[in-house]
Amino acid sequence: MEKVVLDSRSERLILGKTCSNFLRGRGRFSNWLCSSQWKVFPVKASYATTRISSENIEPIAPKMFLRSDSSDMKGFNDSSCLWTSPTNDHILDAYEDEYGGIIINPDRLPWETNAFGTALQASLSYWKLMGKKGVWLKLPLDRSEYVPIAVKEGFKYHHAEEAYVMLTYWIPDGPCMLPANASHQVGVGGFVINDQNEVLVVQEKYCASSLCGVWKLPTGFIHESEEIFAGAVREVKEETGIDTEFVEVIAFRHAHHVAFEKSDLFFVCMLRPLSHKINIDDMEVQAAKWMPLAEFLEQPCIQDDSMFKRIIDICIARLGKRYCGLAAHHMISKFDGRSSCLYYNVAEPQDFNCQGT
């Protein structure tokens, strides 16, 4: 095909899948053609009265041009249109996000690298014409060979998990407005003290040489979609076998350039013990015990570190009811309709046995 002249009033490129009985007498389109299975986007007006070679339009890959005198197409009154060969799927299966971006369906990717590369080029051209912005491409492990293809097209790494890598592509000119990867890791520590004024402490099996033999609070990272208070209770249970209930967030630390240059949020939680017998996790913990509070405070690692010392001072103040921490309150916001936890200092201290001044 060397050229085609399109109607100068308005053009539409119609992308669809295989259909039977495509034409119904006298060259008219069937009503089925205009169903939800067909995607339509306007061709630039500058193409209307110019000669177009197949090379010019290859990025959006129309393989056949069809002229119809019908005006019966639902929503269209144009006498000219373009459509793709029903034997070729040129646009990757995807859906729009709420910000005008595109999320490619990772479960419907082509199985061959050549097909993926061709479809990706066509899709980017199509989405650009449609005025879309960001494109999100999630590639599972079994499609890892697609990564260099996407990078060659201009995609950038966003983040990776065990089972996939996420890449992004910003279509408009100017700075990318897509949100960056997660910037923080979140850790928790449990301050658990019993009726004998003993603190639950552990010695870690794997730690820096400067911390070998040090007795410390049970700590760990919260899991994905896990509440702070639930993470603290879980970590104490996993490391020591002690059941607890959450009381309050006593304090939190914010540090930067920690693991892999990420920032770190560490929440110190006061927990009330519900059991006493210790059963350690020997995969992570060397030893665990109930240690008298005074003995715990005498450790050089506590006395010589202003931050650790301050944390313990705050915990002791809370025990003496001279300080109130942040309690967790389940709430639902109309902003997103989701249930979440709001941590704040209680307005009625007597409800939480807190009389801080």
Side-chain angles (χ1 to χ4, degrees):
M1 176 178 56
E2 297 180 351
K3 64 183 179 179
V4 62
V5 179
L6 302 178
D7 186 279
S8 61
R9 292 173 298 172
S10 175
E11 293 77 41
R12 295 290 186 271
L13 177 60
I14 301 179
L15 302 174
K17 297 186 178 180
T18 304
C19 65
S20 59
N21 299 322
F22 187 75
L23 300 179
R24 290 186 180 176
R26 298 183 180 180
R28 292 179 178 271
F29 289 97
S30 70
N31 288 337
W32 188 90
L33 167 63
C34 300
S35 70
S36 60
Q37 298 187 43
W38 290 81
K39 303 174 182 178
V40 181
F41 68 94
V43 180
K44 290 184 178 179
S46 59
Y47 293 169
T49 57
T50 59
R51 295 169 181 252
I52 305 174
S53 69
S54 59
E55 180 180 356
N56 295 140
I57 59 176
E58 187 62 27
I60 44 182
K63 300 297 183 182
M64 183 182 296
F65 295 87
L66 180 66
R67 180 128 186 162
S68 170
D69 295 328
S70 172
S71 60
D72 296 337
M73 293 177 65
K74 293 181 180 178
F76 303 102
N77 294 313
D78 306 305
S79 59
S80 301
C81 62
L82 305 178
W83 62 287
T84 57
S85 168
T87 61
N88 291 278
D89 290 328
H90 302 290
I91 305 303
L92 293 171
D93 186 72
Y95 58 93
E96 293 187 28
D97 63 23
E98 57 185 314
Y99 303 104
I102 294 293
I103 300 175
I104 298 173
N105 186 349
D107 299 323
R108 299 287 299 275
L109 295 172
W111 281 103
E112 296 184 358
T113 54
N114 289 339
F116 172 73
T118 300
L120 187 61
Q121 290 179 353
S123 299
L124 292 175
S125 297
Y126 170 66
W127 294 326
K128 184 174 183 180
L129 287 176
M130 291 294 289
K132 300 306 174 185
K133 298 178 181 178
V135 181
W136 298 86
L137 173 60
K138 180 180 179 180
L139 293 177
L141 275 178
D142 60 359
R143 306 296 179 87
S144 59
E145 67 273 17
Y146 292 176
V147 171
I149 299 173
V151 170
K152 185 178 180 180
E153 292 300 323
F155 278 80
K156 299 182 182 300
Y157 293 117
H158 188 268
H159 69 273
E161 296 290 345
E162 290 185 358
Y164 71 87
V165 61
M166 181 72 77
L167 299 99
T168 61
Y169 184 95
W170 184 248
I171 296 176
D173 295 330
C176 176
M177 301 300 291
L178 293 175
N181 181 26
S183 59
H184 287 68
Q185 61 182 13
V186 182
V188 288
F191 183 81
V192 187
I193 191 164
N194 62 20
D195 294 337
Q196 286 74 46
N197 215 31
E198 296 173 323
V199 182
L200 181 63
V201 294
V202 299
Q203 285 183 342
E204 293 186 341
K205 179 172 288 189
Y206 306 102
C207 60
S209 57
S210 59
L211 296 177
C212 287
V214 170
W215 292 99
K216 58 182 285 294
L217 302 179
T219 61
F221 293 107
I222 65 171
H223 293 167
E224 184 176 354
S225 302
E226 184 178 44
E227 292 289 351
I228 294 170
F229 69 85
V233 170
R234 175 187 51 77
E235 281 292 341
V236 169
K237 176 67 174 179
E238 288 179 354
E239 293 190 359
T240 69
I242 298 296
D243 294 310
T244 62
E245 66 176 351
F246 172 80
V247 179
E248 291 171 348
V249 170
I250 297 300
F252 69 90
R253 182 206 66 175
H254 193 196
H256 306 285
H257 306 294
V258 188
F260 304 102
E261 295 302 306
K262 297 294 184 181
S263 296
D264 180 272
L265 283 169
F266 180 76
F267 292 84
V268 181
C269 301
M270 177 166 284
L271 307 176
R272 182 178 296 113
L274 301 178
S275 62
H276 182 76
K277 184 178 180 180
I278 292 175
N279 182 21
I280 68 169
D281 173 15
D282 55 12
M283 293 292 293
E284 297 184 51
V285 175
Q286 184 70 34
K289 67 178 182 179
W290 292 100
M291 176 181 283
L293 179 59
E295 183 181 344
F296 177 70
L297 294 175
E298 289 172 359
Q299 294 186 103
C301 66
I302 300 295
Q303 294 298 320
D304 298 341
D305 190 297
S306 58
M307 180 176 293
F308 286 160
K309 189 175 186 304
R310 183 57 177 163
I311 289 174
I312 299 304
D313 288 344
I314 293 172
C315 291
I316 293 174
R318 174 62 182 86
L319 292 173
K321 301 180 181 180
R322 303 187 307 274
Y323 175 89
C324 292
L326 306 177
H329 303 265
H330 288 277
M331 306 187 75
I332 298 178
S333 171
K334 289 184 178 180
F335 181 76
D336 57 11
R338 298 180 179 180
S339 175
S340 58
C341 275
L342 183 65
Y343 293 81
Y344 61 89
N345 192 294
V346 295
E348 296 78 23
Q350 64 274 13
D351 294 339
F352 285 82
N353 196 27
C354 177
Q355 298 175 4
T357 58

